[in-house]
Amino acid sequence: MRRWNGWGLADVSYPLPDATAAVLAERIGPGTPPRDASLTEVLASVPPSRLPPHPLVSTEPEVRLRHARGQSFPDLIVLRSGRVPAFPDGVAFPRDAGEVRALFSYARDIGARLIPFGGGTSVVGHVNVAPGDAPILTVSLERLQQLHSLSEEDRLATFGAGVSGPRLEEALRARGYTLGHFPQSFELSTLGGWIVTRSRGQQSLGYGRIENLFAGGRLESPAGTVVLPSFPASATGPDLREFVLGSEGRMGILTEAAVRISPLPEREDFHALFFPDWERARTAVRELVQSGTPLSMLRLSTPQETAINLALSGHPRMVKVLSGSLSLLGVGAEGCMLVLGVSGSRRTVELAQRTAMGLAGRHGGVRVPLLGQKWLKGRFRAPYLRNAAWERGWGVDTVETATSWSNVPRLLAAVEDALRGALADQGERALVFTHLSHVYATGSNLYTTFIFRLGKDAEETHARWLALKTAASRAMVTHGGTISHQHGVGTDHRPWLEAEKGALGLSAIRRMLGTFDPTGLLNPGKLV
């Protein structure tokens, strides 16, 4: 069963090593473990439902609690403190498109609003319930998980939009295929959620972003059904798939999706390389992606992140040996770690690795055996560590953006400086570090982690988080970055959207959403 007040499965945990806790205490101050509310306490606060009975709808308190929030840091605060401001009045579990349309009619008749719910892994407020007069019905897509069709000739597969990442890959791998989409939330997130939030997978460099993989599908909107044919290409005006991508449940509920699949790779390797400094490392990564070398992933840590991750690993002896070895190879305190992935036929992998290692070597890069595979083994572990840090008194969150290669240094400095100074007036420090995890010929994303001490209560903790988030967001829009590269808009990024889209652009988006949902039935308060 999933954890109700944090990330992941309830029986899976990764405790914070004492050595890691000691580093955090030294860098930002000792943490004070908070007192978390119990499940019993929070269930006692769930109010009576305002919904009349319906055969598809559950009004059980625990079901409603488990669908009240997503996985953002503010969500963690309210769930752990037990101060949940609002709950859905019920949760529906439709089994097909017809039942989704029936729920639209039900909601119209009773004056309710609907919130689509996939895996509940949003980190920007997509699935959250806001207090209000209208009843809220959350629509879970967990029963829409079937593989409807798979054409090996066309390399297309169609699934129910509620299929989770592991279940999707299991179905494809049984037939010798993969989608290759592995966001950090892979274990719990869903295909529909990936599409409507424009998700990025860790190996998108090789397999493509979700907008490249999404071929078509079926959307049920309050105004009617939209069928999106899976053409290989079309010149018939604006692409309606683009309306669905990033729509965040505002224009309809995606019930099924066709995706472009790839044969399982004959070979897949991950390598860790270290560079002497950031400038040489960044140049090597840029040249690699611009060269067209068929790699599936490039993930580059700044010197600060490289050093902090080694310090926080909880293995000081191993780190000392590694640092000594790297020093002999010319990599010192300013060293940067790159994780490089290659997937494909054996010949493709061998040629790509030879090319990549040669280019990296010209910029001082040296390979360290086994660390790449170690990264792969723990690739989905990081969200669990947020639970462990909270329980020791520290908060962990991330912000992410993207910009051109020429602007990466300026934006990186602006975001990190903003975060490091955001709590200075409170006498608090934040530990801040960044990596590039998605690179393009023209630029890169920046994925920045910040760690800070929890406050004496939920309100103080939220105030600290908000100061950090606001400072980083302001730095992004001021210094040429997108407000969101891979997490969507939800509620957390909505105040900053006009800076990127402009007033006319936002007006056009609102009008488009109003065409499909003229009475504002779906996901109120999200996106725009």
Side-chain angles (χ1 to χ4, degrees):
M1 178 175 285
R2 285 178 61 167
R3 196 182 303 264
W4 68 272
N5 64 350
W7 176 262
L9 301 177
D11 60 351
V12 176
S13 63
Y14 296 99
L16 203 67
D18 289 340
T20 301
V23 171
L24 291 177
E26 178 186 352
R27 299 287 186 95
I28 59 176
T32 302
R35 189 260 176 196
D36 289 344
S38 69
L39 177 59
T40 300
E41 289 172 320
V42 181
L43 288 177
S45 71
V46 180
S49 172
R50 296 172 289 179
L51 295 176
H54 189 282
L56 296 175
V57 177
S58 170
T59 57
E60 290 296 319
E62 186 166 344
V63 174
R64 293 164 59 195
L65 166 61
R66 289 180 176 275
H67 291 82
R69 307 291 291 203
Q71 293 291 328
S72 72
F73 195 82
D75 297 336
L76 181 66
I77 293 173
V78 301
L79 291 171
R80 292 279 188 161
S81 68
R83 301 177 184 178
V84 185
F87 299 85
D89 291 278
V91 182
F93 298 90
R95 291 161 294 196
D96 55 38
E99 291 187 344
V100 170
R101 291 194 299 273
L103 290 169
F104 287 160
S105 297
Y106 169 70
R108 286 193 196 96
D109 290 344
I110 62 175
R113 297 291 180 265
L114 301 180
I115 297 179
F117 192 102
T121 60
S122 168
V123 293
V124 293
H126 288 117
V127 299
N128 293 359
V129 180
D133 294 333
I136 297 294
L137 174 63
T138 292
V139 181
S140 170
L141 303 182
E142 69 175 55
R143 293 182 179 174
L144 301 179
Q145 296 211 26
Q146 300 82 1
L147 171 62
H148 295 302
S149 64
L150 189 155
S151 170
E152 297 193 31
E153 183 176 11
D154 300 327
R155 289 195 178 172
L156 289 172
T158 301
F159 287 90
V163 65
S164 65
R167 186 161 178 172
L168 178 147
E169 280 295 324
E170 181 183 11
L172 291 179
R173 287 168 183 262
R175 301 280 292 273
Y177 290 90
T178 181
L179 183 62
H181 191 76
F182 302 106
Q184 195 169 73
S185 62
F186 170 77
E187 295 174 313
L188 301 176
S189 55
T190 65
L191 174 59
W194 299 340
I195 292 167
V196 301
T197 61
R198 288 187 176 270
S199 167
R200 299 292 186 269
Q202 292 171 343
Q203 292 170 261
S204 63
L205 181 61
Y207 291 104
R209 304 179 302 273
I210 197 64
E211 54 260 47
N212 308 121
L213 301 172
F214 175 46
R218 182 185 182 100
L219 181 87
E220 298 298 337
S221 81
T225 301
V226 181
V227 176
L228 306 167
S230 301
F231 295 128
S234 171
T236 54
D239 188 347
L240 293 181
R241 290 178 311 126
E242 287 291 337
F243 290 5
V244 176
L245 286 158
S247 59
E248 302 190 3
R250 287 294 310 274
M251 64 181 283
I253 295 179
L254 190 67
T255 57
E256 64 181 55
V259 289
R260 300 180 175 101
I261 57 178
S262 301
L264 282 169
E266 291 179 5
R267 181 173 167 183
E268 190 166 62
D269 291 346
F270 291 84
H271 304 279
L273 296 89
F274 284 79
F275 291 83
D277 55 63
W278 173 245
E279 188 57 34
R280 279 186 275 186
R282 185 173 65 88
T283 300
V285 167
R286 177 179 57 78
E287 290 184 2
L288 272 171
V289 69
Q290 291 176 344
S291 74
T293 304
L295 305 173
S296 63
M297 190 185 78
L298 289 166
R299 182 186 181 96
L300 176 65
S301 294
T302 63
Q304 293 78 16
E305 178 168 283
T306 300
I308 289 169
N309 281 344
L310 291 175
L312 297 180
S313 68
H315 302 288
R317 290 184 181 177
M318 182 193 74
V319 171
K320 185 176 182 180
V321 171
L322 175 62
S323 298
S325 300
L326 288 172
S327 180
L328 294 175
L329 295 169
V331 179
E334 292 299 306
C336 302
M337 187 174 86
L338 169 69
V339 180
L340 178 153
V342 194
S343 307
S345 68
R346 295 185 185 279
R347 184 171 182 273
T348 296
V349 169
E350 289 170 1
L351 288 173
Q353 287 180 166
R354 192 177 307 131
T355 300
M357 296 302 172
L359 190 153
R362 291 196 293 274
H363 292 282
V366 294
R367 178 175 173 266
V368 176
L370 304 179
L371 279 187
Q373 290 302 123
K374 183 176 177 63
W375 175 87
L376 179 65
K377 185 177 180 181
R379 69 193 296 186
F380 304 128
R381 186 177 297 177
Y384 283 97
L385 295 176
R386 188 174 71 168
N387 299 334
W390 175 279
E391 289 155 9
R392 300 287 288 266
W394 293 288
V396 182
D397 203 10
T398 60
V399 291
E400 43 88 21
T401 183
T403 193
S404 60
W405 280 115
S406 60
N407 193 48
V408 163
R410 184 172 77 111
L411 183 60
L412 172 60
V415 171
E416 289 197 342
D417 287 348
L419 285 166
R420 291 192 180 103
L423 302 180
D425 62 342
Q426 302 176 38
E428 292 290 327
R429 293 169 287 168
L431 186 61
V432 181
F433 45 95
T434 299
H435 64 261
L436 315 182
S437 56
H438 299 271
V439 295
Y440 310 90
T442 58
S444 175
N445 82 318
L446 303 173
Y447 198 97
T448 302
T449 299
F450 56 93
I451 306 176
F452 62 102
R453 295 202 306 167
L454 302 181
K456 64 180 181 296
D457 53 32
E459 289 78 14
E460 186 174 64
T461 296
H462 185 270
R464 290 181 182 179
W465 172 85
L466 184 60
L468 289 157
K469 179 75 171 181
T470 301
S473 299
R474 184 178 294 117
M476 289 174 191
V477 300
T478 302
H479 293 89
T482 175
I483 193 61
S484 179
H485 168 262
Q486 65 206 64
H487 288 158
V489 177
T491 56
D492 292 354
H493 294 152
R494 193 179 61 184
W496 309 96
L497 196 57
E498 186 171 343
E500 183 168 332
K501 301 295 186 185
L504 182 59
L506 279 186
S507 176
I509 292 171
R510 289 190 184 99
R511 288 176 179 273
M512 183 272 291
L513 296 176
T515 297
F516 294 93
D517 183 16
T519 61
L521 194 69
L522 287 164
N523 219 12
K526 316 299 166 52
L527 184 60
V528 294

